[in-house]
Amino acid sequence: MNVDDTFRKAILESVDAGFEEQIAFTSDLIRFPSLRGQEKPAQEFIHKELAERGYEVETFAIDIGKIHDHPGFSPVTVDYTDALNVVATHMPKEIRGKSLILNGHMDVVPEGPHDMWEVSPPFEPKCVGDWLYGRGGGDMKAGIAANISALDALKRLGFQPAAKVHIQSVVEEECTGNGALACLVEGYTADAAIIPEPEDEMLVRANCGVLWFEILVAGHPVHVREAGTGANAIEASYRVIESLKRMTEEWNAEKINYPYFEDLDHPINFNVGKIEGGDWASTVAAWCKLHCRIAIYPGDDPADRAKQIEDYLAADLGNDSFLGNRPPQVTWNGFFARGYVLEENTDAEKALAEAHRHATGNTLESFVTPGYLDARVFVIYAGMPCLVYGPITENIHGFDERVSLSSIKCVTGAIALFIADWCGLERIGNEPR
Protein backbone atom coordinates (compact mmCIF):
# COMPACT_ATOMS: atom_id res chain seq x y z
CA MET A 1 0.00 0.00 0.00
CA ASN A 2 1.04 3.62 -0.47
CA VAL A 3 2.29 5.24 2.75
CA ASP A 4 1.45 8.87 2.17
CA ASP A 5 1.63 11.79 4.59
CA THR A 6 -1.97 11.24 5.72
CA PHE A 7 -1.26 7.63 6.64
CA ARG A 8 2.05 8.56 8.28
CA LYS A 9 0.12 10.97 10.47
CA ALA A 10 -2.32 8.19 11.35
CA ILE A 11 0.57 5.92 12.36
CA LEU A 12 2.06 8.56 14.65
CA GLU A 13 -1.36 9.24 16.16
CA SER A 14 -1.73 5.50 16.82
CA VAL A 15 1.64 5.48 18.61
CA ASP A 16 0.41 8.37 20.73
CA ALA A 17 -2.89 6.59 21.47
CA GLY A 18 -1.04 3.57 22.86
CA PHE A 19 1.76 5.46 24.59
CA GLU A 20 0.40 5.29 28.14
CA GLU A 21 0.10 1.52 27.75
CA GLN A 22 3.59 1.39 26.26
CA ILE A 23 5.15 3.16 29.25
CA ALA A 24 3.28 0.86 31.63
CA PHE A 25 4.73 -2.09 29.71
CA THR A 26 8.22 -0.57 29.83
CA SER A 27 7.84 -0.06 33.57
CA ASP A 28 6.86 -3.71 33.97
CA LEU A 29 10.10 -4.68 32.25
CA ILE A 30 12.17 -2.41 34.50
CA ARG A 31 10.72 -4.13 37.59
CA PHE A 32 12.53 -7.34 36.62
CA PRO A 33 16.10 -7.20 38.00
CA SER A 34 17.39 -8.94 34.89
CA LEU A 35 21.06 -8.98 35.83
CA ARG A 36 23.37 -11.50 34.20
CA GLY A 37 22.16 -14.99 35.06
CA GLN A 38 18.85 -13.63 36.37
CA GLU A 39 17.12 -12.76 33.09
CA LYS A 40 14.84 -15.81 32.94
CA PRO A 41 11.75 -14.31 34.66
CA ALA A 42 11.87 -11.24 32.42
CA GLN A 43 12.32 -13.39 29.33
CA GLU A 44 9.39 -15.59 30.33
CA PHE A 45 7.31 -12.43 30.74
CA ILE A 46 8.25 -11.14 27.29
CA HIS A 47 7.52 -14.57 25.79
CA LYS A 48 4.01 -14.43 27.27
CA GLU A 49 3.42 -10.87 26.05
CA LEU A 50 4.48 -11.73 22.50
CA ALA A 51 2.46 -14.94 22.42
CA GLU A 52 -0.65 -13.06 23.55
CA ARG A 53 -0.17 -10.76 20.56
CA GLY A 54 -0.47 -13.77 18.28
CA TYR A 55 3.16 -14.23 17.27
CA GLU A 56 4.88 -17.56 16.95
CA VAL A 57 7.39 -17.45 19.81
CA GLU A 58 10.51 -19.51 20.45
CA THR A 59 12.49 -19.40 23.70
CA PHE A 60 15.84 -21.19 23.76
CA ALA A 61 18.95 -21.30 25.92
CA ILE A 62 22.26 -20.29 24.37
CA ASP A 63 24.02 -23.49 23.28
CA ILE A 64 27.76 -22.95 23.65
CA GLY A 65 28.40 -26.03 21.54
CA LYS A 66 26.68 -24.39 18.57
CA ILE A 67 28.49 -21.06 18.78
CA HIS A 68 31.88 -21.94 20.27
CA ASP A 69 33.68 -22.21 16.93
CA HIS A 70 32.00 -19.19 15.36
CA PRO A 71 34.44 -16.29 14.76
CA GLY A 72 32.09 -13.98 16.67
CA PHE A 73 32.10 -16.09 19.86
CA SER A 74 33.27 -14.59 23.14
CA PRO A 75 34.70 -16.84 25.89
CA VAL A 76 32.33 -17.42 28.78
CA THR A 77 32.88 -18.57 32.37
CA VAL A 78 29.25 -18.75 33.58
CA ASP A 79 26.48 -21.32 33.26
CA TYR A 80 24.15 -20.71 30.30
CA THR A 81 21.34 -23.00 31.46
CA ASP A 82 19.05 -20.03 32.13
CA ALA A 83 20.56 -17.71 29.51
CA LEU A 84 17.39 -17.54 27.44
CA ASN A 85 16.74 -15.78 24.16
CA VAL A 86 13.20 -15.05 23.01
CA VAL A 87 12.34 -14.70 19.31
CA ALA A 88 8.83 -13.94 18.05
CA THR A 89 8.07 -14.22 14.34
CA HIS A 90 5.41 -12.47 12.29
CA MET A 91 4.53 -13.99 8.94
CA PRO A 92 2.37 -12.03 6.50
CA LYS A 93 -0.41 -13.47 4.40
CA GLU A 94 1.68 -12.63 1.33
CA ILE A 95 5.34 -11.59 1.37
CA ARG A 96 5.65 -8.35 -0.59
CA GLY A 97 8.16 -6.32 1.41
CA LYS A 98 11.64 -6.69 2.88
CA SER A 99 12.22 -8.69 6.04
CA LEU A 100 13.31 -7.16 9.33
CA ILE A 101 14.78 -8.03 12.72
CA LEU A 102 13.77 -5.89 15.70
CA ASN A 103 16.41 -6.66 18.32
CA GLY A 104 16.95 -5.62 21.92
CA HIS A 105 18.74 -6.96 24.99
CA MET A 106 17.03 -7.79 28.26
CA ASP A 107 20.17 -8.04 30.43
CA VAL A 108 21.13 -5.04 32.55
CA VAL A 109 24.31 -4.08 34.38
CA PRO A 110 24.56 -4.21 38.19
CA GLU A 111 22.82 -1.35 39.92
CA GLY A 112 25.35 -0.55 42.65
CA PRO A 113 24.38 0.53 46.21
CA HIS A 114 20.67 1.23 46.33
CA ASP A 115 21.07 4.07 48.81
CA MET A 116 22.93 6.03 46.13
CA TRP A 117 19.87 6.10 43.85
CA GLU A 118 18.23 9.43 44.72
CA VAL A 119 14.97 9.51 42.73
CA SER A 120 13.75 5.95 43.15
CA PRO A 121 15.21 2.51 43.89
CA PRO A 122 16.73 1.00 40.74
CA PHE A 123 14.02 -1.54 40.00
CA GLU A 124 11.08 0.64 41.01
CA PRO A 125 10.32 2.67 37.86
CA LYS A 126 9.20 6.24 38.39
CA CYS A 127 8.14 8.98 35.97
CA VAL A 128 9.21 12.51 36.84
CA GLY A 129 8.50 15.16 34.24
CA ASP A 130 9.78 13.89 30.90
CA TRP A 131 11.91 11.15 32.46
CA LEU A 132 11.32 7.50 33.28
CA TYR A 133 13.79 6.33 35.94
CA GLY A 134 15.04 2.80 36.57
CA ARG A 135 17.93 0.45 35.89
CA GLY A 136 17.75 -0.78 32.33
CA GLY A 137 15.01 1.63 31.33
CA GLY A 138 17.26 3.36 28.83
CA ASP A 139 19.70 0.51 28.24
CA MET A 140 17.56 -0.87 26.83
CA LYS A 141 14.10 -1.97 27.93
CA ALA A 142 12.50 1.16 26.49
CA GLY A 143 13.93 -0.02 23.16
CA ILE A 144 12.46 -3.53 23.50
CA ALA A 145 9.08 -1.99 24.29
CA ALA A 146 9.42 0.45 21.37
CA ASN A 147 9.96 -2.42 18.93
CA ILE A 148 6.83 -4.20 20.10
CA SER A 149 4.77 -1.03 20.45
CA ALA A 150 5.58 0.07 16.91
CA LEU A 151 3.95 -3.11 15.64
CA ASP A 152 1.06 -2.61 18.09
CA ALA A 153 0.47 0.86 16.64
CA LEU A 154 0.14 -0.55 13.13
CA LYS A 155 -2.19 -3.27 14.39
CA ARG A 156 -4.50 -0.68 15.95
CA LEU A 157 -4.95 0.72 12.46
CA GLY A 158 -5.78 -2.72 11.12
CA PHE A 159 -2.44 -3.34 9.41
CA GLN A 160 0.54 -5.64 9.78
CA PRO A 161 3.91 -5.92 8.00
CA ALA A 162 3.80 -7.47 4.53
CA ALA A 163 7.11 -9.23 5.24
CA LYS A 164 8.65 -11.56 7.77
CA VAL A 165 9.58 -9.81 11.02
CA HIS A 166 11.56 -11.33 13.90
CA ILE A 167 11.28 -9.65 17.31
CA GLN A 168 14.31 -10.61 19.42
CA SER A 169 14.86 -10.19 23.14
CA VAL A 170 18.37 -11.43 23.83
CA VAL A 171 20.75 -11.75 26.78
CA GLU A 172 24.53 -11.40 27.18
CA GLU A 173 24.77 -8.06 25.34
CA GLU A 174 26.48 -6.43 28.31
CA CYS A 175 29.22 -9.03 28.62
CA THR A 176 29.81 -11.25 25.56
CA GLY A 177 27.38 -10.59 22.70
CA ASN A 178 26.75 -14.34 22.56
CA GLY A 179 22.97 -13.91 22.79
CA ALA A 180 22.60 -12.10 19.48
CA LEU A 181 25.19 -14.44 17.97
CA ALA A 182 23.15 -17.47 19.07
CA CYS A 183 20.09 -16.06 17.27
CA LEU A 184 22.10 -15.74 14.07
CA VAL A 185 23.47 -19.28 14.38
CA GLU A 186 19.91 -20.55 14.92
CA GLY A 187 19.13 -19.16 11.48
CA TYR A 188 17.38 -15.86 12.21
CA THR A 189 18.33 -13.44 9.44
CA ALA A 190 16.63 -10.64 7.54
CA ASP A 191 17.21 -7.88 5.00
CA ALA A 192 17.89 -5.37 7.80
CA ALA A 193 17.81 -4.99 11.58
CA ILE A 194 17.00 -2.23 14.04
CA ILE A 195 18.36 -2.08 17.60
CA PRO A 196 16.87 0.83 19.63
CA GLU A 197 19.85 1.29 21.94
CA PRO A 198 20.09 4.61 23.86
CA GLU A 199 21.75 6.67 21.13
CA ASP A 200 20.07 10.10 21.53
CA GLU A 201 17.95 9.74 18.38
CA MET A 202 21.02 9.33 16.20
CA LEU A 203 22.30 6.50 14.01
CA VAL A 204 25.52 4.72 14.97
CA ARG A 205 27.91 4.80 12.02
CA ALA A 206 30.69 2.81 13.66
CA ASN A 207 31.67 1.41 17.02
CA CYS A 208 34.60 -0.16 18.81
CA GLY A 209 35.10 -3.80 19.54
CA VAL A 210 35.65 -4.83 23.14
CA LEU A 211 37.85 -7.24 25.10
CA TRP A 212 37.15 -8.43 28.64
CA PHE A 213 39.90 -10.01 30.70
CA GLU A 214 41.02 -10.83 34.23
CA ILE A 215 44.53 -10.32 35.49
CA LEU A 216 45.71 -12.38 38.45
CA VAL A 217 48.62 -10.83 40.33
CA ALA A 218 50.39 -13.12 42.78
CA GLY A 219 52.11 -11.75 45.88
CA HIS A 220 54.34 -13.14 48.63
CA PRO A 221 52.40 -13.23 51.93
CA VAL A 222 54.08 -12.58 55.25
CA HIS A 223 52.93 -11.28 58.62
CA VAL A 224 52.42 -7.53 58.46
CA ARG A 225 55.19 -7.05 61.06
CA GLU A 226 57.59 -8.30 58.38
CA ALA A 227 55.92 -6.54 55.46
CA GLY A 228 59.23 -5.44 53.95
CA THR A 229 60.23 -9.04 53.33
CA GLY A 230 57.10 -9.93 51.36
CA ALA A 231 55.34 -8.60 48.26
CA ASN A 232 51.83 -7.18 48.37
CA ALA A 233 49.82 -8.34 45.35
CA ILE A 234 47.31 -5.50 45.74
CA GLU A 235 50.05 -2.89 45.63
CA ALA A 236 51.72 -4.68 42.71
CA SER A 237 48.44 -4.53 40.80
CA TYR A 238 48.75 -0.72 40.73
CA ARG A 239 51.82 -1.14 38.53
CA VAL A 240 49.90 -3.46 36.20
CA ILE A 241 47.14 -0.86 35.87
CA GLU A 242 49.60 1.90 35.08
CA SER A 243 51.25 -0.28 32.46
CA LEU A 244 47.91 -0.88 30.72
CA LYS A 245 47.16 2.84 30.83
CA ARG A 246 50.40 3.52 29.00
CA MET A 247 49.50 0.90 26.39
CA THR A 248 46.05 2.46 26.00
CA GLU A 249 47.58 5.80 25.09
CA GLU A 250 49.69 4.11 22.43
CA TRP A 251 46.56 2.50 20.98
CA ASN A 252 44.75 5.85 20.98
CA ALA A 253 47.58 7.32 18.93
CA GLU A 254 46.70 4.79 16.21
CA LYS A 255 43.29 6.40 15.61
CA ILE A 256 44.56 8.29 12.55
CA ASN A 257 44.69 4.92 10.77
CA TYR A 258 40.99 4.20 11.31
CA PRO A 259 38.27 6.01 9.31
CA TYR A 260 35.54 7.60 11.46
CA PHE A 261 37.75 7.42 14.57
CA GLU A 262 40.48 9.92 13.73
CA ASP A 263 38.54 12.86 15.17
CA LEU A 264 37.44 11.18 18.41
CA ASP A 265 39.25 12.52 21.45
CA HIS A 266 39.82 9.14 23.10
CA PRO A 267 38.31 6.19 21.19
CA ILE A 268 40.16 3.47 23.10
CA ASN A 269 39.13 3.36 26.75
CA PHE A 270 40.56 0.99 29.35
CA ASN A 271 38.69 0.34 32.58
CA VAL A 272 39.29 -1.63 35.76
CA GLY A 273 35.70 -2.36 36.68
CA LYS A 274 36.26 -4.62 39.66
CA ILE A 275 39.13 -5.51 41.96
CA GLU A 276 39.40 -8.18 44.63
CA GLY A 277 42.27 -9.58 46.60
CA GLY A 278 43.94 -10.50 49.83
CA ASP A 279 42.80 -12.70 52.68
CA TRP A 280 43.49 -10.90 55.95
CA ALA A 281 44.10 -7.34 57.13
CA SER A 282 47.26 -8.39 58.99
CA THR A 283 48.71 -10.46 56.15
CA VAL A 284 50.52 -8.99 53.15
CA ALA A 285 48.17 -9.75 50.24
CA ALA A 286 48.97 -13.01 48.48
CA TRP A 287 46.77 -12.35 45.46
CA CYS A 288 44.82 -9.70 43.60
CA LYS A 289 42.47 -10.05 40.66
CA LEU A 290 41.64 -7.20 38.28
CA HIS A 291 38.53 -7.36 36.09
CA CYS A 292 39.27 -5.26 33.00
CA ARG A 293 37.75 -3.99 29.77
CA ILE A 294 39.42 -2.33 26.81
CA ALA A 295 38.22 -1.23 23.37
CA ILE A 296 39.71 -2.12 19.98
CA TYR A 297 39.18 -0.53 16.56
CA PRO A 298 36.93 -1.91 13.79
CA GLY A 299 38.97 -4.23 11.62
CA ASP A 300 41.19 -5.29 14.52
CA ASP A 301 41.37 -9.02 15.20
CA PRO A 302 40.54 -9.58 18.89
CA ALA A 303 43.13 -12.37 19.06
CA ASP A 304 45.86 -10.07 17.77
CA ARG A 305 45.00 -7.32 20.25
CA ALA A 306 44.80 -9.85 23.07
CA LYS A 307 48.32 -11.02 22.29
CA GLN A 308 49.49 -7.40 22.21
CA ILE A 309 48.21 -6.95 25.77
CA GLU A 310 50.00 -10.05 27.00
CA ASP A 311 53.22 -9.13 25.21
CA TYR A 312 53.08 -5.51 26.39
CA LEU A 313 52.72 -6.49 30.03
CA ALA A 314 55.57 -8.99 29.75
CA ALA A 315 57.89 -6.40 28.20
CA ASP A 316 56.82 -3.38 30.24
CA LEU A 317 56.99 -5.19 33.59
CA GLY A 318 59.97 -7.37 32.75
CA ASN A 319 62.33 -5.26 34.87
CA ASP A 320 59.94 -4.91 37.80
CA SER A 321 61.67 -6.17 40.95
CA PHE A 322 58.81 -8.55 41.72
CA LEU A 323 56.50 -8.82 38.70
CA GLY A 324 59.46 -9.49 36.42
CA ASN A 325 59.95 -12.82 38.17
CA ARG A 326 56.28 -13.56 38.75
CA PRO A 327 54.40 -12.07 35.77
CA PRO A 328 50.66 -11.43 36.03
CA GLN A 329 48.40 -14.06 34.47
CA VAL A 330 45.80 -12.92 31.92
CA THR A 331 42.53 -14.80 31.33
CA TRP A 332 40.04 -13.88 28.60
CA ASN A 333 36.61 -14.14 30.18
CA GLY A 334 34.02 -12.23 28.16
CA PHE A 335 33.85 -9.85 25.21
CA PHE A 336 36.18 -10.96 22.43
CA ALA A 337 34.29 -8.86 19.92
CA ARG A 338 35.14 -6.95 16.78
CA GLY A 339 33.96 -3.43 16.09
CA TYR A 340 32.04 -2.59 12.93
CA VAL A 341 31.42 0.19 10.43
CA LEU A 342 27.94 0.63 8.97
CA GLU A 343 27.97 1.20 5.22
CA GLU A 344 26.69 4.64 4.31
CA ASN A 345 23.53 5.38 2.35
CA THR A 346 22.02 1.91 2.22
CA ASP A 347 18.34 1.66 1.40
CA ALA A 348 17.69 0.81 5.05
CA GLU A 349 19.43 3.97 6.24
CA LYS A 350 17.53 6.09 3.73
CA ALA A 351 14.25 4.60 4.95
CA LEU A 352 15.15 5.31 8.58
CA ALA A 353 16.21 8.87 7.74
CA GLU A 354 12.82 9.50 6.14
CA ALA A 355 10.97 7.90 9.06
CA HIS A 356 13.00 9.93 11.56
CA ARG A 357 12.26 13.15 9.68
CA HIS A 358 8.51 12.53 9.79
CA ALA A 359 8.55 11.44 13.45
CA THR A 360 10.78 14.20 14.82
CA GLY A 361 10.92 16.95 12.22
CA ASN A 362 14.72 16.68 12.22
CA THR A 363 17.40 15.35 9.91
CA LEU A 364 18.89 12.03 11.02
CA GLU A 365 22.47 12.45 12.24
CA SER A 366 25.05 9.70 12.60
CA PHE A 367 27.96 9.38 15.02
CA VAL A 368 30.69 7.05 16.23
CA THR A 369 30.58 5.40 19.64
CA PRO A 370 33.43 3.79 21.60
CA GLY A 371 31.03 1.31 23.24
CA TYR A 372 30.01 -2.24 22.31
CA LEU A 373 26.89 -3.00 20.26
CA ASP A 374 25.31 -6.28 19.15
CA ALA A 375 24.99 -4.78 15.68
CA ARG A 376 28.45 -6.21 14.95
CA VAL A 377 26.82 -9.67 14.74
CA PHE A 378 24.47 -8.60 11.94
CA VAL A 379 26.88 -6.32 10.06
CA ILE A 380 30.02 -8.49 10.15
CA TYR A 381 28.67 -12.04 10.18
CA ALA A 382 25.37 -11.70 8.30
CA GLY A 383 26.25 -8.93 5.86
CA MET A 384 23.10 -7.00 6.65
CA PRO A 385 22.59 -3.34 7.60
CA CYS A 386 21.86 -2.93 11.29
CA LEU A 387 20.47 0.43 12.34
CA VAL A 388 21.31 1.25 15.95
CA TYR A 389 18.99 4.13 16.77
CA GLY A 390 17.20 4.83 20.03
CA PRO A 391 15.98 7.34 22.60
CA ILE A 392 17.65 10.09 24.58
CA THR A 393 18.94 8.86 27.95
CA GLU A 394 21.10 9.89 30.87
CA ASN A 395 23.17 7.95 33.40
CA ILE A 396 23.06 4.55 31.72
CA HIS A 397 25.28 2.15 33.74
CA GLY A 398 25.15 4.76 36.54
CA PHE A 399 22.87 5.89 39.35
CA ASP A 400 19.43 7.29 38.47
CA GLU A 401 19.46 5.95 34.94
CA ARG A 402 16.67 7.64 33.01
CA VAL A 403 15.13 7.77 29.55
CA SER A 404 13.17 10.62 27.96
CA LEU A 405 9.48 9.86 27.55
CA SER A 406 9.01 12.23 24.62
CA SER A 407 12.04 10.71 22.92
CA ILE A 408 10.67 7.18 23.39
CA LYS A 409 7.51 8.29 21.60
CA CYS A 410 9.47 9.81 18.71
CA VAL A 411 11.64 6.72 18.30
CA THR A 412 8.64 4.39 18.46
CA GLY A 413 6.95 6.48 15.78
CA ALA A 414 10.06 6.37 13.60
CA ILE A 415 10.28 2.58 13.94
CA ALA A 416 6.61 2.20 13.03
CA LEU A 417 7.06 4.41 9.97
CA PHE A 418 10.20 2.48 9.00
CA ILE A 419 8.31 -0.83 9.20
CA ALA A 420 5.52 0.57 7.02
CA ASP A 421 8.06 1.64 4.38
CA TRP A 422 10.58 -1.20 4.58
CA CYS A 423 8.26 -4.16 5.07
CA GLY A 424 5.18 -2.74 3.42
CA LEU A 425 1.76 -3.23 5.00
CA GLU A 426 -1.21 -5.50 4.48
CA ARG A 427 -4.63 -5.45 6.08
CA ILE A 428 -5.26 -7.76 9.00
CA GLY A 429 -8.12 -10.06 7.99
CA ASN A 430 -10.36 -9.42 5.03
CA GLU A 431 -12.62 -6.73 6.40
CA PRO A 432 -13.02 -3.62 4.25
CA ARG A 433 -11.65 -0.32 5.55
Side-chain angles (χ1 to χ4, degrees), residues 194-207:
I194 290 180
I195 306 180
E197 287 273 14
E199 305 298 356
D200 295 343
E201 298 180 9
M202 293 187 287
L203 174 67
V204 175
R205 176 63 58 205
N207 86 314

Side-chain angles (χ1 to χ4, degrees), residues 36 64 76-81 172:
R36 191 183 196 190
I64 293 180
V76 59
T77 57
V78 301
D79 181 15
Y80 270 0
T81 301
E172 287 287 293

Side-chain angles (χ1 to χ4, degrees), residues 6-86:
T6 299
F7 193 66
R8 291 189 185 98
K9 181 180 178 183
I11 290 174
L12 296 177
E13 288 175 347
S14 183
V15 169
D16 184 66
F19 193 63
E20 184 175 339
E21 181 180 343
Q22 177 180 345
I23 296 306
F25 176 49
T26 307
S27 297
D28 286 341
L29 293 178
I30 293 172
R31 291 188 182 96
F32 288 98
S34 50
L35 302 163
R36 191 183 196 190
Q38 302 174 38
E39 307 98 338
K40 184 177 180 179
Q43 293 291 68
E44 291 175 337
F45 173 79
I46 206 77
H47 179 122
K48 175 176 174 290
E49 287 286 328
L50 291 165
E52 287 178 351
R53 285 167 167 80
Y55 300 114
E56 178 184 335
V57 187
E58 179 187 10
T59 294
F60 62 94
I62 300 173
D63 186 339
I64 293 180
K66 288 185 177 181
I67 65 175
H68 185 272
D69 294 328
H70 192 283
F73 174 74
S74 293
V76 59
T77 57
V78 301
D79 181 15
Y80 270 0
T81 301
D82 289 335
L84 304 181
N85 284 336
V86 179

